Amino acid sequence: MVRIGVKKVAPEEARADLLALGLYADEQPPEGLTATAEPALSSGDFTGKPGQTALLYGGDALPSPRLLLVGLGGRSSFTPEKLRRTAATVSRRARALKARSVAFSLPTLEDADVATTARAAAEGAALGLYRFGRYKTGENNDDGGPEDFDLLVSGSGDEEAASRGAGIGEKVAGGTALARDLANEPSNTATPEYLAERAGEIGARYGMTVGVLDRAGIEEEGLTGLATVARSASNEPRFIVLEHRKGGGERPVVLVGKAVTFDSGGISIKPTTGMEDMKFDMGGGAAVLGAMEAVGALDLPLDVVAIVPATENLPGGDAFKPGDVLTMHGGKTVEILTTDAEGRLLLADALSYARRYEPAAVVDCATLTGACVVALGGHASGLMGNDEDLIAEVRTAGEATGERAWPLPLFDEYTEQIKGDTADLKNSGGRGGGALTAGAFLKEFADFPWAHLDIAGTAYGKKGNAYTTKGATGTPARLLVEFLIGRSG
Ligand code: BES
Ligand code: MN
Ligand code: ZN
C-alpha cells in the first residue's frame, strides 16, 4: 500500500515526482504556481470543471518536475466524496506517469474540518490504486504506483489534524482493500474455511477473540439455516465470530455479514448467464471482516462482535429442497419455497445467535435480493430495520463515506406476505417487494435495535469509478467503520 504522509510545505516548494493541485472553478492557483499553470488557464483548456486535469512542466521554476491541475468544480458544492475521487484521479495519474512520489496540496472544504478532509483524500488516494491482479500471469503485479503520497497543508494546527485524519483514512482504506480482496477472490479459493483463516489472522493481529464453528459445531449449536444450506456443499461451512473488546464491557455492537462463497441457487438453480457473479455473494461477510481489520488497526475503544456465517449454496443429492420445513435457531419454523432464498436463512441464524450478546445494536449486510438491485441500482444500498434512530445513524454514516444507504419500508404488509401456509414463515414472499419481504423475514429474528443493508447492487460492479474498480467495491466496510467511530465517541 502507498504511504500517506502530511507535510507543512507550500506547493511551489514541494519536491515530488508529481505535484498536484486542486483548483475550484474560476479560482486562481497560488502565487508561486501561476507562471507554470498559466498556459493551461489562459488557453481556456483548464477551467476547474470537476474531474478536468491539465499536466504541466515547470522546468527550473519548481522543485517538482510535473504539476497536475485537477478541477474541483464549484467551491460550495465540493464534498469529501468529491475529494476522494479527486485524490484517486491524482494517484492513478501518478501511477500512469510512473511517479513514485506525489505531493497533493490538500484543498480546503467549506463544510469539513481538516482531519475529515485529509481522511477523505487518504482514502481516495489509496483506494484509487487498488487492483486485484494476482491471477494475471506474465503481467507485472507489483503495482508500480506511487510509494509516497504526501498531503500538503499550510498551518501547524492543520498539520496535526491532517496527520490524524490521514492515519484514519489509511487504515480505513486498508480494511476496504481487504474486503475487496476477499470478495474478488474466486470461490475455489475463497471457501468458508479460507474466510475463517483470514478472520483468524485479523483476530491474531489485533488481539481479538476468534471463534469458528465447523459443520459439527454448527449443527450442535442448532444453526439450522446455515447447516441446511451447507448440507450439499463439499467445501465445509464455517460460522465465524470475531470479538473486539476494547470498550469496557458495555453492550456490544454486532455486525453480521452474509458469506455465501458461491450461490448457484441450489436445487432452485439460477440461469447460467451472470452466475459467475455469485462468487460475490460473500460481499457482506467480506465487508464485515474488512471493517474489523480497520477496527483493529484503529484500536477503536468499543466492544464490537462480528458474525459471518459462511457456506456455498449448491445442488446435490443431499441438498435441501423446495417444500422442506426447517426449525430455526430460536424455534420458528420456515417453509422453503425456493432454495435460492438462502441468505436470509443463514442471517436468521446469525441474528438469533446475536441475542446472547444483548447487543446495543446489530447491523447486518448482505447481497440479499435482486429486487434491491432493481430498486436502487448500484447507487445505494437498501436500508431497513426496526429502529428509526439506528436507521438514521447508519444512513448518516453512509452519507459521510460516500457509501449511500437509502431507507426502504418494512410495513406489516410485507410481513404478512411471508407468513407461511404449513410453517410460521416462508422464505420467499413472491415477486412484489422482494427486498422488503427479505427484510421483513430477518425482522422476525431481530430482538434488538437492528438495521439491515441490502448490498446486492453495491457490493460489486461492472464498471468502477474513480476509486473503485470493476468487481468488488468493499461496500459497506467504510460505512460500518464510520458507524463504529461514531459510536466510540
Ligand atoms: N444472492 C442472491 C441475491 C443477488 C441477486 C445478489 C443479484 C446479487 C445480485 C440471493 O441469494 C437470491 O438468490 N435472492 C433471490 C431471492 C428470491 C428467490 C426470493 C432473488 O433475489 O432473486
Ligand atoms: Mn440465492
Ligand atoms: Zn445469495
Side-chain angles (χ1 to χ4, degrees):
M1 272 278 249
V2 61
R3 271 189 304 273
I4 313 282
V6 171
K7 281 192 178 146
K8 197 180 132 240
V9 177
E12 64 271 19
E13 277 155 24
R15 187 178 299 277
D17 295 343
L18 179 67
L19 170 66
L21 174 76
L23 266 191
Y24 287 113
D26 308 316
E27 292 189 15
Q28 295 304 312
E31 197 73 45
L33 298 178
T34 336
T36 308
E38 207 275 332
L41 303 176
S42 64
S43 63
D45 290 0
F46 184 90
T47 56
K49 273 203 303 213
Q52 196 180 43
T53 60
L55 184 62
L56 301 147
Y57 300 89
D60 292 340
L62 297 174
S64 297
R66 307 176 186 85
L67 169 65
L68 181 70
L69 300 180
V70 194
L72 304 179
R75 186 178 273 274
S76 60
S77 58
F78 198 66
T79 58
E81 174 60 9
K82 289 183 179 169
L83 178 55
R84 268 178 217 107
R85 295 178 190 224
T86 303
T89 302
V90 171
S91 66
R92 284 183 179 178
R93 181 63 83 89
R95 181 163 64 194
L97 292 167
K98 300 197 163 36
R100 287 307 194 171
S101 57
V102 181
F104 175 49
S105 177
L106 190 67
T108 52
L109 268 68
E110 277 183 356
D111 290 325
D113 59 29
V114 176
T116 307
T117 305
R119 175 177 160 195
E123 283 178 13
L127 289 173
L129 295 170
Y130 175 85
R131 278 205 286 224
F132 186 72
R134 57 178 297 218
Y135 292 108
K136 295 268 197 183
T137 64
E139 265 179 39
N140 183 5
N141 276 321
D142 95 39
D143 83 73
E147 283 156 8
D148 288 294
F149 194 104
D150 286 328
L151 306 173
L152 307 182
V153 297
S154 44
S156 321
D158 287 0
E159 193 178 8
E160 194 274 320
S163 297
R164 191 159 32 85
I168 296 172
E170 231 178 339
K171 288 166 181 145
V172 169
T176 307
L178 173 64
R180 289 181 184 179
D181 273 343
L182 293 174
N184 280 325
E185 199 63 62
S187 78
N188 58 333
T189 300
T191 59
E193 192 187 353
Y194 176 92
L195 294 180
E197 282 166 9
R198 299 292 82 76
E201 288 166 5
I202 297 167
R205 235 181 337 267
Y206 303 112
M208 300 175 187
T209 312
V210 188
V212 178
L213 300 180
D214 61 6
R215 192 190 293 277
I218 289 163
E219 283 168 8
E220 210 169 298
E221 187 59 51
L223 301 169
T224 318
L226 179 58
T228 303
V229 174
R231 209 164 58 207
S232 54
S234 36
N235 283 309
E236 296 273 307
R238 292 289 185 268
F239 188 79
I240 304 163
V241 182
L242 259 184
E243 296 189 36
H244 169 89
R245 295 287 188 177
K246 295 286 178 76
E250 70 266 37
R251 293 165 162 242
V253 174
V254 176
L255 306 179
V256 173
K258 168 180 174 182
V260 174
T261 55
F262 187 78
D263 182 13
S264 73
I267 295 297
S268 314
I269 199 161
K270 288 180 181 294
T272 312
T273 309
M275 209 204 268
E276 67 279 9
D277 282 351
M278 285 300 114
K279 73 169 187 176
F280 295 118
D281 209 22
M282 34 64 75
V288 165
L289 294 179
M292 291 306 277
E293 165 68 32
V295 163
L298 292 165
D299 201 23
L300 287 189
L302 192 69
D303 290 303
V304 188
V305 178
I307 306 181
V308 178
T311 182
E312 306 182 313
N313 184 22
L314 292 173
D318 205 19
F320 74 128
K321 300 174 284 294
D324 289 358
V325 174
L326 315 184
T327 301
M328 302 294 284
H329 196 264
K332 288 200 168 123
T333 56
V334 176
E335 179 176 8
I336 303 302
L337 296 195
T338 162
T339 63
D340 199 10
E342 84 296 342
R344 64 198 73 183
L345 301 173
L346 5 154
L347 290 169
D349 283 346
L351 293 174
S352 179
Y353 186 93
R355 286 180 67 171
R356 73 192 57 200
Y357 295 105
E358 296 180 18
V362 177
V363 181
D364 82 72
C365 54
T367 46
L368 204 59
T369 68
C372 194
V373 189
V374 173
L376 298 170
H379 307 297
S381 303
L383 172 57
M384 290 146 263
N386 61 7
D387 184 297
E388 287 306 322
D389 291 340
L390 179 60
I391 289 172
E393 201 179 336
V394 171
R395 188 175 170 188
T396 303
E399 265 333 294
T401 51
E403 294 193 320
R404 277 201 214 108
W406 201 256
L408 300 173
L410 289 185
F411 302 132
D412 291 342
E413 285 79 356
Y414 297 116
T415 307
E416 284 307 311
Q417 227 173 302
I418 49 146
K419 284 273 147 70
D421 303 322
T422 36
D424 299 336
L425 301 169
K426 50 192 179 192
N427 79 330
S428 166
R431 273 179 52 78
L436 306 326
T437 51
F441 183 94
L442 299 181
K443 190 176 172 200
E444 293 298 300
F445 299 87
D447 225 350
F448 29 65
W450 157 78
H452 160 59
L453 287 162
D454 193 329
I455 57 167
T458 51
Y460 63 95
K462 290 257 167 283
K463 283 213 320 234
N465 62 28
Y467 66 88
T468 63
T469 48
K470 185 173 177 320
T473 58
T475 299
R478 290 183 304 112
L479 178 157
L480 293 174
V481 176
E482 179 66 17
F483 168 76
L484 295 171
I485 290 175
R487 288 238 163 185
S488 356

